[in-house]
């Protein structure tokens, strides 16, 4: 399957604690990437919860999106880093960022600071080999309540790969 990036939106309830600023860049005809920054200024410990909601729509209309089984239930930050972050996110976006890789498991603490994301393309590594064509909306939520809730929403179109 092929993926086309359509939109990305980032929201933070407290940008001085955590903030993500991402944009879609056109690299060439039909070729897109994500660039921007992720800023973290808080302790990301076991009390921080991460959730991933994946919706699919056949048309792209808001009312057609339905929750898929690919969603990840709310889980502690350290569990997320040792599972989804390492096995899916790092394989999907590759080496286009300076965030920690944790190849041998999460090593507390997650560093504070600003991390750069530069022309990350979704490669599909770590994702299902077969996806139903259509529109997918992913909502990643980092909940460090009451300090901050960070939400990232990404919409992509999945189409059959033409050889």
């Amino acid at each position: 399957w092929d993926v086309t990036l359509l939109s990305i939106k980032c929201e933070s309830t407290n940008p001085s604690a955590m903030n993500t600023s991402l944009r879609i860049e056109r690299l060439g005809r039909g070729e897109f990437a994500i660039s921007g920054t992720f800023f973290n200024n808080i302790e990301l410990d076991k009390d921080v919860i991460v959730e991933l909601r994946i919706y699919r729509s056949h048309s792209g209309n808001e009312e057609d999106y339905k929750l898929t089984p690919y969603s990840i239930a709310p889980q502690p930050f350290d569990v997320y880093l040792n599972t989804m972050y390492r096995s899916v996110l790092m394989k999907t976006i590759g080496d286009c960022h300076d965030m920690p890789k944790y190849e041998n498991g999460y090593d507390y603490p997650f560093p504070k600071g600003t991390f750069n994301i530069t022309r990350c393309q979704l490669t599909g590594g770590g994702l299902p080999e077969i996806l139903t064509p259509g529109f997918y909306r992913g909502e990643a939520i980092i909940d460090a309540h009451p300090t901050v809730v960070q939400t990232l929403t990404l919409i992509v179109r999945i189409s059959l790969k033409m050889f």
Side-chain angles (χ1 to χ4, degrees), residues 7 20 40 52 76 87 95 111 116 118 121-122 130 137 140 157:
S7 71
T20 304
N40 175 51
L52 181 61
S87 63
D95 293 324
N116 298 300
T118 308
Q121 293 182 282
L122 302 178
I130 299 173
R137 182 179 70 216
R157 182 177 55 236

Side-chain angles (χ1 to χ4, degrees), residues 3-10 24 32 34 53-57 59-62 65 122 134-140 152-158:
V3 61
T4 303
L5 296 167
L6 299 177
S7 71
I8 193 163
K9 181 171 80 171
C10 307
I24 296 175
F32 300 92
I34 298 171
R53 299 177 194 148
I54 305 290
Y55 299 87
R56 184 189 169 279
S57 164
S59 68
N61 292 329
E62 187 63 33
Y65 279 98
L122 302 178
F135 297 85
Y136 287 80
R137 182 179 70 216
E139 297 173 355
L152 181 143
T153 304
L154 177 69
I155 298 177
V156 300
R157 182 177 55 236
I158 300 293

Side-chain angles (χ1 to χ4, degrees), residues 20 22 29 38 42 51 61 76 86 98-99 102 104 114-116 123 141 144 147-148 154 156:
T20 304
L22 297 174
R29 186 173 183 204
F38 169 68
I42 63 170
E51 179 179 4
N61 292 329
R86 283 180 47 217
D98 58 5
M99 292 186 292
Y102 299 120
N104 297 317
T114 301
F115 301 94
N116 298 300
T123 64
I141 301 129
T147 307
V148 65
L154 177 69
V156 300

Side-chain angles (χ1 to χ4, degrees), residues 13-27:
T13 59
N14 183 353
S16 65
M18 182 184 294
N19 197 29
T20 304
S21 174
L22 297 174
R23 67 190 175 283
I24 296 175
E25 289 185 34
R26 183 179 174 153
L27 303 179

